[in-house]
């Protein structure tokens, strides 16, 4: 009860859905998914990603939220509570610690990319892109990457925005933002989709994303797909566990999480179907463009469509908002924990942790190798490992009666299927992919 007063509780099930979707839908969907799909050959990669979402991501997400709601505290203390309840050794709390660390690591490079999006609100708004071709758009993006000082400013602005919401308390700070702006993002994505359909090479894009050519798929591609399933659902580091801790007691966990997972996946696929038609219809753009894909292909579309200046500005505004509501969840687990220790209040905790991430972001700006390393370590190692341990914990170590009552699934046939997946299928798949890709790396 004490903790609930301290952090607040979501007003109802829908606020949780919006907040969790706000966390899940972010740069991962709009920026990262299209470019990694592009780099890994499209179709087969997308299929593996969808499989990972369905049989690892969504089931493990239920497990992670379940721990949060059971423990009712920051991930570190929630893990401590459920570990004690299960009569186990305290080392399981490491899941919480690793999560706090992973959150800061992700926030470091995430806020750099979000800074690019903030910058693009103004670049697009001032009409810089009007009439550009692919090559010119590429040069403009390259110019931003070369301007280190400018990037630091945009990055800092984004970190400050995040600080504001987290300091205010997530349940208070976020509700409005999510409720109003998330639906807006959907609308603009649909408009972009329509533009790509009419003006771009939609058929080529569709084929690229959904034609399953397995010869293009490598083990590293499979590992990237798994890692991205975790990244895009904000899974494996306690973010969604922290949000689960603020979930009302009587909300159906299963249905709620499926809603979030489906929304997140739809946004990613629509973003892909909006971006690739333009890529294929524009000379000088290729799917394997890399991290610059969204920042180069979409300006070409905005620069050449009627009303593009307005839509473009709105689009990058919404991407920034989506990134904002995600970044909040990267910092929240650590802040909630620090606030629980009572050594700092919420504001001081937030300032402390965002400062760490801010410094990490500056390191990423000046050294691209750090950017890549943080991305790799978190998405492809820490998040899947976190998910593996969460699945093992809920599947094997928590008392079945507790799991069943938290899921509110007494006698529901889907409960047994879910528990089977969390016990056997998800852990086995995570372990198999990690081991196989490691083996593949060692052999080749
Ligand atoms: N899911 C967000 C996105 O796709 C990023 C994110 C927010 C995240 N919180 C997280 C990723 C926690 C991993 C863990 O942009």
């Amino acid at each position: 009860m004490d903790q609930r007063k301290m952090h607040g509780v979501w007003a109802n099930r829908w606020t949780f859905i919006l907040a969790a979707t706000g966390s899940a839908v972010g740069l991962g969907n709009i920026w990262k998914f299209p470019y990694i799909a592009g780099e890994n050959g499209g179709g087969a990669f997308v299929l593996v990603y969808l499989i990972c979402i369905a049989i690892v991501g969504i089931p493990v997400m239920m497990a992670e939220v379940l721990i949060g709601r059971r423990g009712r505290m920051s991930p570190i203390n929630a893990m401590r509570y459920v570990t004690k309840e299960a009569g186990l050794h305290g080392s399981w709390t490491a899941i919480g610690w690793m999560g706090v660390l992973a959150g800061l690591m992700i926030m470091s490079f995430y806020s750099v990319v979000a800074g690019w999006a903030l910058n693009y609100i103004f670049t697009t708004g001032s009409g810089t892109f009007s009439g550009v071709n692919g090559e010119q758009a590429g040069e403009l993006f390259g110019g931003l990457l070369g301007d280190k000082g400018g990037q630091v400013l945009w990055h800092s602005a984004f970190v400050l925005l995040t600080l504001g919401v987290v300091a205010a308390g997530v349940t208070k700070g976020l509700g409005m933002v999510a409720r109003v702006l998330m639906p807006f993002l959907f609308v603009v994505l649909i408009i972009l989709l329509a533009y790509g359909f009419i003006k771009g090479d939609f058929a080529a894009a569709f084929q690229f994303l959904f034609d399953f050519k397995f010869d293009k798929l490598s083990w590293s591609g499979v590992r990237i797909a798994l890692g991205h399933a975790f990244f895009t659902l904000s899974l494996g580091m306690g973010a969604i566990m922290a949000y689960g801790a603020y979930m009302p007691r009587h909300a159906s966990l299963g249905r709620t999480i499926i809603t979030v997972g489906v929304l997140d996946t739809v946004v990613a696929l629509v973003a892909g179907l909006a971006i690739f038609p333009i890529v294929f219809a524009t000379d000088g753009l290729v799917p394997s463009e890399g991290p610059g894909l969204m920042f180069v292909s979409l300006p070409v579309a905005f620069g050449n469509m009627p009303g593009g200046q307005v839509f473009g500005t709105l689009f990058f505004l919404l991407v920034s908002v989506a990134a904002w509501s995600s970044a909040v969840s990267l910092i929240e687990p650590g802040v909630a924990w620090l606030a629980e220790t009572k050594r700092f209040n919420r504001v001081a905790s937030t300032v402390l942790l965002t400062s760490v991430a801010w410094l990490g972001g500056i390191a990423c700006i000046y050294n691209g190798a750090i950017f890549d390393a943080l991305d790799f370590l978190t998405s492809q190692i820490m998040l899947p490992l976190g998910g593996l341990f969460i699945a093992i914990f809920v599947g094997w170590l928590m008392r079945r009666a507790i799991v069943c009552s938290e899921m509110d699934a007494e006698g529901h046939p889907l409960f047994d299927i879910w528990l089977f997946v969390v016990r056997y299928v998800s852990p086995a798949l995570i372990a198999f992919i990690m081991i196989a890709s490691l083996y593949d790396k060692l052999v080749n």
Side-chain angles (χ1 to χ4, degrees), residues 23-24 26-29 106 110 231-232 234-235 237 239 326 329-330 383:
S23 166
L27 296 171
N29 307 63
I106 295 173
Y110 201 83
F231 186 88
T232 192
S234 305
L235 205 59
M237 60 144 280
S326 299
S329 72
L330 288 166
L383 301 182

Side-chain angles (χ1 to χ4, degrees), residues 50-340:
L50 291 175
I51 292 172
C52 288
I53 291 280
I55 65 179
V56 180
I58 291 179
V60 173
M61 197 175 190
M62 292 175 190
E64 188 175 327
V65 174
L66 187 151
I67 294 178
R69 189 163 73 168
R70 184 79 195 164
R72 284 252 167 254
M73 280 172 267
S74 69
I76 291 175
N77 285 326
M79 276 312 302
R80 190 164 284 150
Y81 177 85
V82 291
T83 306
K84 215 178 258 162
E85 191 177 52
L88 292 167
H89 189 263
S91 53
W92 282 94
T93 314
I95 294 176
W97 289 105
M98 191 170 78
V100 170
L101 183 67
L104 294 177
M105 289 166 73
I106 295 173
M107 181 64 183
S108 299
F109 68 86
Y110 201 83
S111 57
V112 173
V113 181
W116 300 344
L118 280 181
N119 173 281
Y120 265 53
I121 299 174
F122 298 92
T123 327
T124 316
S126 62
T128 309
F129 293 114
S130 76
V132 291
N133 59 31
E135 209 174 305
Q136 291 160 329
E139 279 163 17
L140 285 164
F141 183 63
L144 175 62
L145 291 188
D147 175 13
K148 306 290 181 198
Q151 281 188 78
V152 171
L153 281 183
W154 292 108
H155 153 72
S156 308
F158 182 79
V159 171
L160 274 179
L161 284 173
T162 309
L163 189 155
V165 173
V166 180
V170 170
T171 43
K172 263 183 274 161
L174 208 61
M176 255 295 285
V177 179
R179 220 184 317 253
V180 179
L181 292 169
M182 293 312 289
F184 237 120
L185 180 73
F186 285 89
V187 173
V188 176
L189 270 179
I190 300 291
I191 293 172
L192 275 176
L193 181 69
Y195 178 80
F197 189 78
I198 297 164
K199 288 283 173 86
D201 192 343
F202 194 79
F206 196 85
Q207 196 176 20
F208 180 73
L209 285 173
F210 299 111
D211 190 8
F212 309 132
K213 292 206 188 69
F214 281 97
D215 50 321
K216 290 221 178 118
L217 196 65
S218 62
W219 274 112
S220 87
V222 173
R223 194 187 55 224
I224 291 172
L226 175 75
H228 188 65
F230 280 94
F231 186 88
T232 192
L233 293 175
S234 305
L235 205 59
M237 60 144 280
I240 215 71
M241 191 188 289
Y243 279 24
Y246 315 144
M247 197 172 172
R249 268 266 170 250
H250 305 286
S252 153
L253 242 167
R255 254 189 305 149
T256 305
I257 298 301
I258 289 173
T259 311
V260 175
V262 169
L263 283 175
D264 184 78
T265 307
V266 168
V267 173
L269 294 177
V270 171
L273 286 174
I275 286 175
F276 283 114
I278 298 159
V279 172
F280 286 115
T282 311
D283 290 335
L285 289 184
V286 286
S288 56
E289 178 83 33
L293 186 68
M294 174 183 93
F295 293 98
V296 176
S297 66
L298 290 184
V300 175
F302 294 129
N304 295 288
M305 75 197 242
Q309 200 168 328
V310 174
F311 279 128
T313 312
L314 189 60
F315 175 79
F316 283 110
L317 180 70
L318 291 166
V319 170
S320 305
V321 171
W324 189 18
S325 59
S326 299
V328 165
S329 72
L330 288 166
I331 298 291
E332 177 63 18
V335 169
W337 174 71
L338 269 184
E340 282 163 7

Side-chain angles (χ1 to χ4, degrees), residues 13 16 37 44-45 71 102 185 191 211 238 254 289 347 405-407 414:
R13 186 171 93 96
F16 173 84
F45 173 88
L185 180 73
I191 293 172
D211 190 8
E289 178 83 33
V347 177
S405 90
E406 279 297 330
M407 289 296 282
L414 285 178

